[in-house]
Amino acid sequence: MDIKRLLRMPIPISIIRHGGLGKTAIVLQIIEDLLYSPQRPFDRIFFMSFKNSVFENGVVRKLDKVISNHTDLVTRLAFYMEIQTGDKSINDIEEEVWKNIFTQKTLLVLDNLETEIVQSNLSEFTKIADMFISNYTNQLRLIITSRLGLGDSEKKYPVLEFDITRTKELVSINLPDKQEVLKRAEETDWEWVQEYTSGNPGLILSFCDSLRNSNKTIMDLRVEFQTKYSLDARKLYDDQDVFLELCFANTTETLNTESQTFMAALSYSFMEASLKEVSEELLGFLVEEIGFIKLGIHNMKAQIFVNIGFLRPINGSNKYNVNELFVNYINGNYSNRSDVYTVFKLKSSEWFAPLKHMIASIIDFQYEEDLLVSQTLSNLYKGRFDQTNNNSFLMRAFFCEPTLSNLLYYFEKAKPIEVISNFVLIEKVKSLLIQNKEQQVQERIVLRLIYCMSEINHLIKRGERANVGNIRQSDLYEFFQQVQNRVSVVKTGARSILLRRKVVDFLISINQLDITENYVQTFEEQMSRSCFELYSKQVGMWAGRDRSKCERYILKCNSLIGSKFIRDESKAAYFMYLARYYREGNPLRAYQVSSELDKIPAINNTIFSFYLESLLLRAQCLIDVKKNREEIRKFINTFNRESKTSRYKDIQYKKEKDTRKA
C-alpha cells in the first residue's frame, strides 16, 4: 500500500476526500497491519477519532464523540499516557503530552479531523503537523483522515471512488448468499449500480443491504429506480439522499463562501448542460467571462475541489471528472443549514443570468451531438468572438480545440500582420498536416497565408513600415518556405490551379522567380496569366545578361500572349522588357515592339508609365538609325505634352513620396 511506503518519510500524511470512501477503514487496516508486523515499527499507536456519525445500511448512526475539540485530544492522550493532570493547566498538560510522544517511536492517528477543523482553529492542528516535521530525526509519524487536509503541512493521499470492477468485487464479497442473482446481472445492470453509487464504498454497501433484503435482481431494482414506482426504489432514493448529506455537508463547509459559490456554479453547469468533465480552460472561462474573478482566483483553483472530492483528475490530461453525487447534493436541497451554499442560493445571485446564458449556448452546441469539453469551450469562445469581434477569443478557441478548421477560422478573421505574427500556430496542427488530413481546409489556410503575405508585401513596397513592424521582403520568403515545408498541399503535388496561381503571383511579387517555375511545370489555360507574368519578368531580368535564357523566355511569352487571360498591364510590361532587350542590337526591332503600346489603353498608371517610356525609347531608336528629325520630334512632343498632365504629376508625386519613405 502506498501509505505504508509514505510512512517511511518523516512528513505527516493526510488521507483526504469526502465521506463514505473508507478513509477510516483504510487507516484501521494500516494500524492492524502495523500491530501484527514482525518489525514492530512503532512502540505506540494512538488512534484518536473525531467521528460523530457513520453511514450503515442506508442509515446515519450518530456517535457519542469522546473527542470534540483540541482540548479533548490533549486530555485523551494524557489519559492513555497515564499523565497525572491534577490541577495542571491545559498548556502544561499539552507540553507534557508532546514531550512524552517524542521520546518513543509513536504513530498518532487523527481520524475525521474535518469536524474539528470546521468548528475551531485550523492553526492548532497545523502546529501539531509542524511539530512532527521538526522532529523528523525521531521515529514519529502522524496520519490524518480529513475531507480537506491541513494545507501544505502534509503529504495528501486522496482516496478515490471504485471503478466498476472494484464495485462488482465489493458487492460480491458482501453478498455471499446472492451469487446466483449476481451472475444473472447484465453489464447494463452493473453500469447502473456504478452510476447510482458513483463508486463510493459506503453507498455500495448500502445498495448491498437493499439487495439483500429484497427478493429482486439488480435489473429489477434498476428498472424500479428509473421508473420510481416501488417502495424499494423509494428506499434507494432515500438512502442516496442520506448518504449525500453525510458525505458532503461537512465537506462543503470546509470551504469558504467564495469557493462554495463557484462550486455551486459548476454544479449547476454540469447538471443543466450534461457535462461529464471539466478542464482548466473551462474553469478559466467561467472566471473571466462570467465574472467570477470577483471571488478571488485563489478561491477557485481546481486543486481545492480535487481535495474535497468534487473533481477527480484524469490521468495524462488537465481535465477532471465530476463527482455526480456531489453535484446532486449541491443542486439539491439536502442541507437545512444556512452556511451551505447550494444552487438555490446561486439562482438569486448576480452570477446566475450570465451562467444560464452560457448553459443555453452549450445546449445549442450539443443539440446534434455530444461534445467533448474542449469542443464545448472552443464553441463558447467563438460565441464570445461573435459578441465582441475580438480575435483573441478565436485564438483561445483554437487552443481549446486545435483543428485545421479552427485555425482557418482564426486566420480568416485576423489581420494580415496578426496572421503572419502567429504563423507558429501551425505547429499545433502539425500531426494533421503530416497525415495530409482535410486537404481542402489546408488549401484554404495556405491561400489565406499567401494573401496575408501579399498584403504585407504591398505595404512594404509603399513604404508603410509602421504597419508591418520589422518584416522585410526576405522575411516573407522565409515564411513561404516554412509553409512549403510544413503544409502537405504545398509540399506535395496535390495543388489546385487556384493555389498554384496565387503562389506564383506572390513569388513573382517578391522577385523569387527561380523557385516560381516549380509551380508552372504543367500548363493549364487558367495558369496562362501567371505564367506569362513570370516569363516576361524573366525576359526583363535576363535582358543584357544571358541572351540564350532571354530568348527562351521570349518564346514562352510569345506562345501565351494570345490568351484571353493575359492582362493588358502584363502585355505592356512584356513589350517594354522586349524593347529594352532589342534596344542595343536591333533598334528598329525595339522601335517596332515598343509601338505595340499604342494599341493598349492606358487604363492605369502602370500602363501609362510604360507608354511614356516607350515614347522616349522610340525617339532614341530613331536617333540611333538616323531617321528624320520630324518623326523624332513627334515622340518627344507627345512625351512633353503628357508630362504636363495631372496624371503624370500624380505618378511623380508618388515616386518622390516612396523615395522619401525608403
Side-chain angles (χ1 to χ4, degrees):
M1 183 180 290
D2 288 341
I3 298 178
K4 289 183 181 178
R5 178 178 54 79
L6 292 174
L7 277 173
R8 299 171 190 167
M9 298 185 292
I11 185 170
I13 302 167
S14 281
I15 303 174
I16 61 170
R17 293 189 79 230
H18 64 76
L21 289 173
K23 298 188 296 294
T24 301
I26 289 173
V27 78
L28 288 174
Q29 182 62 57
I30 290 171
I31 291 172
E32 183 178 349
D33 293 346
L34 292 172
L35 287 173
Y36 290 100
S37 170
Q39 289 79 25
R40 297 285 297 187
F42 299 104
D43 296 331
R44 299 179 301 180
I45 298 176
F46 295 107
F47 178 79
M48 303 286 108
S49 178
F50 292 79
K51 192 180 286 290
N52 59 6
S53 60
V54 294
F55 183 73
E56 293 179 348
N57 301 328
V59 177
V60 173
R61 181 164 64 85
K62 295 294 182 180
L63 303 176
D64 293 329
K65 288 208 303 180
V66 176
I67 304 174
S68 297
N69 51 48
H70 183 72
T71 300
D72 287 347
L73 171 64
V74 171
T75 305
R76 196 68 179 168
L77 285 170
F79 172 78
Y80 284 119
M81 295 173 184
E82 299 180 351
I83 294 174
Q84 298 299 316
T85 57
D87 57 355
K88 295 178 183 177
S89 70
I90 187 63
N91 290 336
D92 291 338
I93 296 171
E94 182 172 10
E95 183 178 350
E96 196 168 343
V97 163
W98 297 124
K99 183 177 180 180
N100 185 294
I101 280 182
F102 295 138
T103 58
Q104 298 184 52
K105 294 188 294 185
T106 303
L107 171 63
L108 174 62
V109 179
L110 304 180
D111 183 49
N112 227 56
L113 190 59
E114 73 275 352
T115 57
E116 175 64 11
I117 290 175
V118 170
Q119 297 168 16
S120 70
N121 195 340
L122 176 63
S123 64
E124 294 175 336
F125 295 94
T126 304
K127 288 177 183 177
I128 295 175
D130 290 341
M131 280 193 294
F132 275 79
I133 293 172
S134 61
N135 286 273
Y136 66 91
T137 56
N138 299 332
Q139 189 63 27
L140 302 164
R141 297 294 182 266
L142 173 65
I143 296 179
I144 298 165
T145 72
S146 170
R147 302 187 181 199
L148 186 60
L150 299 177
D152 298 324
S153 301
E154 80 278 23
K155 176 68 176 179
K156 292 184 176 66
Y157 183 89
V159 179
L160 303 180
E161 294 85 352
F162 285 6
D163 59 21
I164 192 169
T165 301
R166 295 187 67 195
T167 297
K168 288 180 182 180
E169 291 173 356
L170 185 57
V171 171
S172 180
I173 291 170
N174 281 273
L175 294 174
D177 56 336
K178 291 277 188 177
Q179 296 303 307
E180 288 301 320
V181 172
L182 300 181
K183 286 179 182 179
R184 293 200 300 272
E186 298 179 358
E187 193 61 29
T188 51
D189 298 328
W190 286 113
E191 289 171 357
W192 168 74
V193 174
Q194 183 69 11
E195 181 181 354
Y196 170 75
T197 64
S198 288
N200 287 271
L203 196 51
I204 294 171
L205 294 175
S206 173
F207 171 77
C208 290
D209 186 64
S210 296
L211 189 59
R212 181 187 297 111
N213 295 327
S214 72
N215 294 319
K216 297 175 180 177
T217 65
I218 296 180
M219 183 180 71
D220 293 333
L221 292 179
R222 172 170 64 86
V223 173
E224 292 176 18
F225 182 83
Q226 292 170 344
T227 55
K228 305 179 183 180
Y229 76 86
S230 71
L231 291 175
D232 288 326
R234 189 67 263 162
K235 181 180 183 305
L236 288 171
Y237 277 104
D238 291 343
D239 290 350
Q240 191 180 62
D241 289 352
V242 172
F243 180 79
L244 293 177
E245 177 70 20
L246 171 78
C247 290
F248 304 123
N250 283 346
T251 305
T252 303
E253 292 164 24
T254 59
L255 303 179
N256 59 33
T257 302
E258 290 76 15
S259 294
Q260 286 191 40
T261 302
F262 193 60
M263 186 166 66
L266 292 176
S267 296
Y268 180 71
S269 303
F270 298 145
M271 179 181 68
E272 294 296 318
S274 300
L275 298 175
K276 299 300 181 184
E277 61 183 27
V278 62
S279 65
E280 292 282 2
E281 292 85 358
L282 180 57
L283 296 178
F285 182 91
L286 290 170
V287 169
E288 294 179 16
E289 303 305 324
I290 305 299
F292 284 109
I293 196 168
K294 295 179 182 178
L295 299 175
I297 295 292
H298 59 286
N299 295 314
M300 295 174 287
K301 292 182 178 179
Q303 191 58 46
I304 293 174
F305 306 108
V306 170
N307 288 344
I308 64 171
F310 181 75
L311 300 177
R312 178 176 177 179
I314 299 175
N315 291 335
S317 74
N318 66 342
K319 299 176 184 176
Y320 306 88
N321 285 324
V322 182
N323 187 327
E324 294 189 25
L325 289 181
F326 213 143
V327 170
N328 290 341
Y329 172 72
I330 299 298
N331 279 305
N333 194 22
Y334 300 106
S335 177
N336 295 320
R337 301 171 67 171
S338 60
D339 50 354
V340 175
Y341 197 99
T342 64
V343 169
F344 289 94
K345 293 183 180 180
L346 180 72
K347 289 182 177 179
S348 60
S349 73
E350 63 180 287
W351 325 107
F352 187 68
L355 194 64
K356 192 173 182 180
H357 178 75
M358 183 200 78
I359 290 169
S361 298
I362 294 175
I363 292 172
D364 287 342
F365 302 150
Q366 296 184 334
Y367 179 73
E368 294 182 355
E369 59 177 331
D370 291 334
L371 300 179
L372 300 175
V373 65
S374 56
Q375 296 171 313
T376 297
L377 188 56
S378 180
N379 285 328
L380 285 173
Y381 276 124
K382 289 176 190 174
R384 291 292 292 124
F385 167 78
D386 292 338
Q387 296 166 6
T388 64
N389 206 33
N390 185 336
N391 290 335
S392 67
F393 288 118
L394 289 184
M395 185 179 289
R396 295 185 192 182
F398 170 72
F399 276 112
C400 292
E401 189 188 10
T403 64
L404 292 174
S405 296
N406 278 347
L407 180 61
L408 173 63
Y409 195 23
Y410 168 69
F411 278 171
E412 288 182 335
K413 299 298 182 181
K415 295 178 180 178
I417 190 64
E418 292 175 333
V419 172
I420 300 306
S421 299
N422 292 301
F423 174 80
V424 71
L425 294 178
I426 281 187
E427 283 296 311
K428 293 284 288 182
V429 291
K430 184 177 180 180
S431 61
L432 298 174
L433 296 174
I434 291 173
Q435 297 172 50
N436 206 16
K437 298 284 188 180
E438 302 178 68
Q439 288 192 6
Q440 289 184 337
V441 180
Q442 281 194 47
E443 182 167 313
R444 288 178 61 188
I445 289 172
V446 176
L447 286 170
R448 178 60 182 171
L449 289 170
I450 295 296
Y451 169 81
C452 293
M453 287 188 282
S454 298
E455 287 296 300
I456 291 173
N457 187 44
H458 292 326
L459 293 174
I460 292 173
K461 286 182 175 180
R462 291 202 297 264
E464 298 183 24
R465 304 297 307 176
N467 295 322
V468 298
N470 296 321
I471 297 178
R472 299 165 298 180
Q473 267 195 349
S474 58
D475 297 323
L476 293 177
Y477 179 56
E478 289 180 11
F479 280 125
F480 175 78
Q481 287 181 309
Q482 291 185 55
V483 174
Q484 189 179 44
N485 293 334
R486 298 185 190 189
V487 185
S488 297
V489 294
V490 182
K491 187 164 49 177
T492 67
R495 301 186 290 249
S496 70
I497 292 176
L498 174 63
L499 177 58
R500 283 192 288 133
R501 184 159 53 82
K502 293 296 183 182
V503 168
V504 168
D505 292 344
F506 167 68
L507 291 174
I508 291 173
S509 72
I510 61 172
N511 294 312
Q512 295 293 333
L513 304 183
D514 289 340
I515 190 175
T516 308
E517 296 209 39
N518 295 330
Y519 292 88
V520 293
Q521 294 293 339
T522 60
F523 175 75
E524 293 88 5
E525 181 69 14
Q526 297 94 318
M527 286 289 293
S528 58
R529 189 191 80 179
S530 297
C531 290
F532 183 82
E533 292 182 7
L534 169 63
Y535 299 145
S536 65
K537 276 218 168 188
Q538 295 278 33
V539 170
M541 185 178 73
W542 293 110
R545 295 171 57 190
D546 190 317
R547 185 175 182 81
S548 62
K549 282 187 177 181
C550 194
E551 291 286 353
R552 185 166 73 247
Y553 287 117
I554 289 172
L555 290 174
K556 290 185 176 184
C557 286
N558 290 340
S559 68
L560 295 172
I561 199 167
S563 170
K564 62 181 179 180
F565 294 103
I566 307 301
R567 298 183 302 167
D568 284 345
E569 185 176 314
S570 300
K571 291 179 181 179
Y574 171 62
F575 288 136
M576 280 312 305
Y577 296 149
L578 195 57
R580 292 172 192 168
Y581 171 65
Y582 289 128
R583 166 74 179 78
E584 295 296 329
N586 193 346
L588 289 178
R589 178 64 175 147
Y591 176 90
Q592 182 183 10
V593 170
S594 60
S595 297
E596 293 292 324
L597 274 90
D598 291 339
K599 304 175 185 177
I600 301 174
I603 57 176
N604 58 41
N605 286 346
T606 300
I607 298 176
F608 183 61
S609 295
F610 283 131
Y611 170 68
L612 293 179
E613 182 184 352
S614 77
L615 294 174
L616 296 178
L617 187 142
R618 278 182 273 177
Q620 186 63 53
C621 288
L622 291 176
I623 293 173
D624 290 344
V625 295
K626 298 181 173 54
K627 287 287 185 179
N628 64 72
R629 293 183 178 181
E630 288 300 321
E631 193 171 359
I632 295 172
R633 190 174 293 111
K634 180 184 70 172
F635 289 115
I636 294 174
N637 290 339
T638 302
F639 178 85
N640 289 334
R641 186 171 60 253
E642 293 290 354
S643 66
K644 292 181 174 60
T645 63
S646 59
R647 190 175 193 181
Y648 178 83
K649 292 177 181 178
D650 182 52
I651 293 173
Q652 290 301 109
Y653 172 76
K654 287 182 178 179
K655 284 183 178 180
E656 292 173 3
K657 185 178 178 182
D658 291 343
T659 301
R660 286 196 299 270
K661 286 182 178 180

